[in-house]
Amino acid sequence: MHEMAITQSVLDAIVARLGEAPVTCVRLEIGRLSGVVPDSVRFCFDVLCAGTSLEGARLDIAEPAGRARCRDCGGEFTLDDFILLCPCGSADVSVLAGRELRIASVEVGHV
Amino acid sequence: MCDTCGCSDSAVRITDHTHTVVMEQDILAKNDELAEHNRAHLRASDVFAINLMSSPGAGKTTLLERTIRALGVPCAVIEGDQETLLDAERIKATGAPVVQINTGAGCHLDAAMLHRALHALAPARGSTLFIENVGNLVCPALFDLGEAARVVILSVTEGPGKPVKYPHMFAATDLVLLNKVDLLPYVDFDVAEFERDVRRVNPSAALLQVSATRGDGLTDWYDWLRRPARS
């Protein structure tokens, strides 16, 4: 389960940026085509935050939909899965959105 | 300056009770940074690094044993497994330098593991480095190691539909090797359907049919490894 490593990377990046400041909320973007399962991240988050400055923090996950542009017809369309196929029939498409795997922001409370 | 954590971060927005720190940072930024470091180091040492990925039992180690003996260029291997030195010992018997990484509970290699392994292995200038990832069609797809190329191996005994069931792995590869084609007469595996499935998630990957035990298609695989445009 790579979500454990992904979630640990989230915690490491936040502690590297903020030190021991008490974190009350973490906002992530996990695109629908990113290959990461938000529910697994939620589970790992609670486990990994215990005993750290993030203990008890709320986790908000935005899940941007997949979007792609066709290089043949120029159209933009929604991608529900990783089948790279434009409604026009072309498979020559570039993915514009849905692969996000980002820490958007963090809320820090007073001690 | 913020009086909560003392930072002087301009992205910090102070409100009455909490403040928001805008991070806008890729979760895998640290891994990707280290992967770029590995890539630069490998390029400077003229080492062609290949990240080999497959499910357990697809034939990665058998293919490597045969490739190292036949390729005619210096090879080195980094073996990733959860436990044991079994695969490293098989590679050692070919005479190629090898380092084993045991990930323990970990299900994939990451750039930091490769970095440590590169220091231990120090592959010779001009060599081809095979990084045998942990047998797993899911997690390794997400972690850039700093390789020059990715190869996914699938064997005909694994059944149909794998490229569309595990699209991330197949979407992120440069070459797909269909292995164990000597067993095609005995299993229900439609090669044309497999190729169509690969194309649905990855229109540009090269595709070769091989048998690491009988030798089918291996000349094409060696040509791919030697192709001048590989870097």
Side-chain angles (χ1 to χ4, degrees), chain A residues 18-95:
Chain A
L18 297 173
E20 290 304 306
V23 171
T24 55
C25 178
V26 173
R27 296 191 188 90
L28 304 181
E29 281 176 25
I30 299 181
R32 290 180 197 273
L33 306 178
S34 69
V36 172
V37 182
D39 272 348
S40 300
V41 172
R42 287 189 187 94
F43 172 81
C44 297
F45 187 76
D46 290 340
V47 172
L48 293 171
C49 286
T52 74
S53 57
L54 286 89
E55 182 159 353
R58 197 173 81 240
L59 179 62
D60 286 347
I61 301 180
E63 299 176 48
R67 225 156 32 82
R69 179 182 292 128
C70 176
R71 291 197 190 92
D72 281 332
C73 75
E76 275 190 28
F77 57 99
T78 305
L79 271 184
D80 295 324
D81 51 33
F82 235 88
I83 309 301
L84 303 174
L85 195 65
C86 176
C88 80
S90 169
D92 189 9
V93 303
S94 58
V95 177

Side-chain angles (χ1 to χ4, degrees), chain A residues 17 101-104 106 108, chain B residues 9 19 21 23-25 27:
Chain A
R17 176 80 175 262
L101 204 48
R102 297 169 68 75
I103 309 170
V106 171
V108 182
Chain B
D9 199 321
H19 66 225
V21 181
M23 296 207 32
E24 290 298 337
Q25 180 178 328
I27 292 174

Side-chain angles (χ1 to χ4, degrees), chain B residues 127-185:
Chain B
S127 61
T128 298
L129 172 66
F130 295 99
I131 305 157
E132 193 181 323
N133 218 310
V134 180
N136 178 345
L137 278 182
V138 182
C139 311
L142 251 71
F143 293 85
D144 184 10
L145 305 178
E147 69 274 18
R150 289 178 160 202
V151 176
V152 173
I153 306 174
L154 189 98
S155 56
V156 301
T157 53
E158 292 171 66
K162 291 296 183 289
V164 285
K165 287 177 180 169
Y166 301 95
H168 294 279
M169 182 59 76
F170 285 87
T173 194
D174 299 292
L175 169 67
V176 177
L177 285 181
L178 182 63
N179 192 21
K180 307 190 189 179
V181 292
D182 52 307
L183 299 178
L184 278 172

